[in-house]
Amino acid sequence: MTGAAGSLPVLVVGAGPAGLTTATELLRRGVPVRCVDRAQGPSTLSKALGLWPRTLELIRRVGGDELLSVRALPQSQMRYYSDGKVIANLRYRPATRPLICPQPDVEEVLRTNLASVGGAPEWRTELLGFDQLADRVRATLRGPDGTESTEDFSHLIGADGASSTVRDRLGVDFTGSTYELRFVVADVLVDTRLDHRMTHYFCSPRGILVACGLPDGRWRVFTSAPPGLTQDEADLAAVQRLVDERGPGGIALREPDWISVFSVHARHADTTRVGRVFLMGDAAHIHSPAGGQGLNTSVTDAHNLAWKLALVWHGRSGDRLLDSYVSERGDVAKSVVRQADVQTRIWLLRKGHQVALRDNALRVASGLRLFDLAYVPWLAGLRTRYAAEPGAGRGRAGFVPGALVPLPLRSALDDLRHTLLVSDPDAGALRSLVGWCEAELAEVVDVRVVSGLGRRVAVLARPDGHVDWTVKDDAAAMRARLTDLFRPLLRTRQQASGERPRRHGDDGARQAPSPHTEHTDEARQEVQA
């Protein structure tokens, strides 16, 4: 990022999962951040519960294993019932198994990760308004003592929830609808024979009942509310009546920790970017809790924007890169809202022929383990595939543009830089490409030698582990992609050295590394794909 705004911090509004993740990932990448929240302190409400593998992968890049091992409960499967009879078992494989971890514990992990990189949320600090200038955002904040201040920031990120002040100030519509039915949620102790490591879905014409074991021995009970039920009326006795009516019997509730009546919405923001201001998490999309995607989508929103914004802030990539946040995460949000809506409507079917069709479809899919092929990996976040840019190449040796790099290789990649994967770095034009990357782009591109790619194949992986570009016998196309992606950085280096801009075919591409470049032929790492 150039100009007077180059040293300004980013303002993150909201210290929930999206805001904490954004602040952490920006600080890891050398971008100054302020993360503010008008709340008095961390929320104690359990709200979201599920952590899917892709989200865990991103969190664990920074830390959190120790806390999660104590606070989380691994799930074994989902089990569906119709009128009390089991109709489907959706068993998790090790790669798709989620953890049950109440949101306050997840947020504690994320705050610990933020502290490990030198950050902390500023509680009781409220965004009052902001204006966008040519090269900055000017925001007015009210601090804990009531003092108001106006400060400049390079960008502003609205991670401030479904009732987002940022979204409201931008005038962005929150398109969608609210379900006619309301729902009741309770965290309680339960006397039952139900398996504590499963999530149980009891479907009946009388309403949906979901029961999920929590790490502390309690259960989360979730059910559709009868018409007219108010928060004041939703006591333990009322919830017990609903459980008796819709469950299999033999479920006795006691010692509630939390009971709430709430509405369910299916909405998404019409856009998640207006100039230098972005929306993410619940500020950008809300939906039914079906599928447990809310918190997970917030974290992956944050990671997607943070690595891109860091490249732009440092002046290494152009502003156009930030538009891909809007398109990529917008597509994901619409898919999540649609999936949750479909699942919720399936829960609530009442007509006999519809119920029979649902139950038979679930039985067949469960018996053939069809859920393992697509639905459960999608829930786990492992099937997210972003739209590839024109010319990005085709799938090669399991590397598909837009999709995730396969494991275990993905976990070995540098998540602070792009990674150029090659199998034969000394072959023809690839040798020149590798030398150019090591000499000119070492601060943003790591070069790795990988067996199994095929001869004269190169793959570019993004910092988030998604495949950006693939080529075979076309090192010039890969160099063109890297030049386009990092044009501001290359221009700055050329201006500083007084060099003329190089053409893709220049013989001088392979030159001695610059003083800050530590990557040599000997330093390249070989990784098994």
Side-chain angles (χ1 to χ4, degrees):
M1 186 171 169
T2 60
S7 61
L8 293 175
V10 172
L11 177 62
V12 177
V13 182
L20 294 169
T21 301
T22 304
T24 300
E25 293 299 332
L26 287 173
L27 284 170
R28 289 183 72 213
R29 291 164 170 79
V31 179
V33 177
R34 287 188 65 189
C35 180
V36 304
D37 197 303
R38 65 184 179 184
Q40 296 294 308
S43 173
T44 59
L45 300 179
S46 59
K47 294 180 285 187
L49 291 178
L51 283 176
W52 289 97
R54 174 59 177 161
T55 306
L56 286 164
E57 179 184 332
L58 295 176
I59 292 173
R60 285 169 166 161
R61 282 281 188 165
V62 187
D65 269 340
E66 186 175 343
L67 273 174
L68 288 171
S69 66
V70 175
R71 306 286 182 86
L73 175 71
Q75 280 267 288
S76 63
Q77 68 179 65
M78 293 183 276
R79 174 169 286 175
Y80 274 82
Y81 306 75
S82 184
D83 274 336
K85 298 178 181 178
V86 177
I87 56 171
N89 288 295
L90 281 65
R91 297 180 180 88
Y92 300 118
R93 300 179 186 274
T96 58
R97 181 173 293 122
L99 297 182
I100 297 300
C101 188
Q103 187 164 330
D105 294 327
V106 175
E107 292 183 3
E108 183 179 346
V109 170
L110 295 175
R111 287 193 303 275
T112 300
N113 284 354
L114 177 57
S116 74
V117 294
E122 300 177 37
W123 302 108
R124 299 167 59 205
T125 303
E126 182 177 5
L127 175 71
L128 299 179
F130 60 87
D131 294 302
Q132 296 204 60
L133 308 181
D135 64 347
R136 66 193 65 204
V137 178
R138 185 158 290 160
T140 301
L141 301 170
R142 180 189 292 135
D145 62 357
T147 302
E148 296 182 10
S149 62
T150 299
E151 304 175 43
D152 288 351
F153 300 89
S154 69
H155 298 80
L156 189 156
I157 297 172
D160 50 342
S163 300
S164 171
T165 296
V166 176
R167 190 185 65 239
D168 181 63
R169 293 282 182 175
L170 289 174
V172 172
D173 288 337
F174 209 30
T175 303
S177 60
T178 301
Y179 291 89
E180 292 182 8
L181 279 175
R182 303 184 78 199
F183 293 82
V184 180
V185 62
D187 289 351
V188 294
L189 289 175
V190 177
D191 297 322
T192 180
R193 294 183 178 180
L194 295 176
D195 190 323
H196 194 71
R197 290 181 176 266
M198 296 182 188
T199 299
H200 305 264
Y201 296 87
F202 298 96
C203 302
S204 78
R206 297 170 294 282
I208 180 68
L209 170 67
V210 182
C212 172
L214 302 179
D216 65 357
R218 292 178 176 270
W219 287 75
R220 163 71 54 86
V221 175
F222 170 88
T223 186
S224 46
L229 182 71
T230 66
Q231 181 65 51
D232 290 340
E233 296 169 337
D235 57 12
L236 181 63
V239 179
Q240 182 69 66
R241 285 194 296 273
L242 294 173
V243 169
D244 292 342
E245 178 184 283
R246 297 159 185 187
I251 300 176
L253 312 183
R254 56 189 174 86
E255 298 182 34
D257 185 53
W258 177 48
I259 299 176
S260 180
V261 179
F262 64 99
S263 297
V264 171
H265 311 270
R267 299 182 182 275
H268 59 84
D270 285 354
T271 183
T272 52
R273 181 186 187 187
V274 179
R276 291 175 171 270
V277 182
F278 299 85
L279 300 171
M280 64 170 54
D282 286 355
H285 42 75
I286 54 173
H287 49 82
S288 161
Q293 293 295 297
L295 184 152
N296 296 269
T297 309
S298 295
V299 170
T300 46
D301 278 356
H303 194 276
N304 184 285
L305 178 59
W307 71 260
K308 295 172 180 175
L309 183 54
L311 284 173
V312 173
W313 190 93
H314 283 294
R316 295 165 179 164
S317 293
D319 186 79
R320 181 166 57 91
L321 179 63
L322 298 175
D323 288 335
S324 66
Y325 165 75
V326 179
S327 57
E328 289 179 353
R329 299 309 300 173
D331 288 346
V332 169
K334 291 173 185 176
S335 177
V336 168
V337 170
R338 182 170 56 251
Q339 178 275 143
D341 179 65
V342 168
Q343 186 171 342
T344 302
R345 295 184 187 281
I346 288 174
W347 283 352
L348 300 175
L349 293 176
R350 295 189 177 186
K351 295 180 179 179
H353 69 284
Q354 294 175 331
V355 170
L357 181 62
R358 176 198 66 201
D359 293 355
N360 287 331
L362 285 172
R363 286 190 186 96
V364 171
S366 174
L368 297 176
R369 303 209 67 168
L370 298 180
F371 294 111
D372 290 342
L373 299 178
Y375 179 61
V376 174
W378 180 86
L379 288 174
L382 304 177
R383 291 294 175 87
T384 299
R385 182 176 174 182
Y386 298 131
E389 293 198 20
R394 61 181 179 83
R396 301 182 188 279
F399 296 85
V400 179
L404 286 166
V405 171
L407 288 173
L409 175 60
R410 185 169 75 245
S411 61
L413 301 183
D414 185 347
D415 70 328
L416 299 180
R417 294 182 292 173
H418 282 67
T419 303
L420 180 66
L421 303 169
V422 294
S423 59
D424 45 357
D426 294 320
L430 279 183
R431 181 175 183 177
S432 177
L433 174 67
V434 168
W436 176 72
C437 286
E438 292 176 337
E440 302 290 344
L441 296 176
E443 63 191 273
V444 290
V445 178
D446 183 29
V447 177
R448 295 215 173 191
V449 179
V450 181
S451 63
L453 276 183
R455 288 185 55 79
R456 299 182 300 281
V457 171
V459 173
L460 183 63
R462 310 185 332 178
D464 59 2
H466 284 265
V467 176
D468 181 87
W469 211 265
T470 69
V471 297
K472 179 178 175 61
D473 293 320
D474 197 354
M478 180 63 80
R479 178 161 170 168
R481 170 57 179 165
L482 288 164
T483 299
D484 183 57
L485 189 58
F486 300 115
R487 192 177 304 279
L489 172 63
L490 291 168
R491 185 184 299 119
T492 299
R493 287 177 57 81
Q494 289 162 358
Q495 291 171 347
S497 65
E499 299 174 2
R500 65 178 175 83
R502 293 199 184 97
R503 298 184 299 274
H504 296 322
D506 282 352
D507 292 336
R510 187 175 181 85
Q511 63 176 43
S514 60
H516 62 271
T517 300
E518 299 178 357
H519 290 250
T520 64
D521 288 342
E522 291 76 17
R524 293 182 209 134
Q525 301 177 56
E526 181 163 358
V527 184
Q528 298 295 320

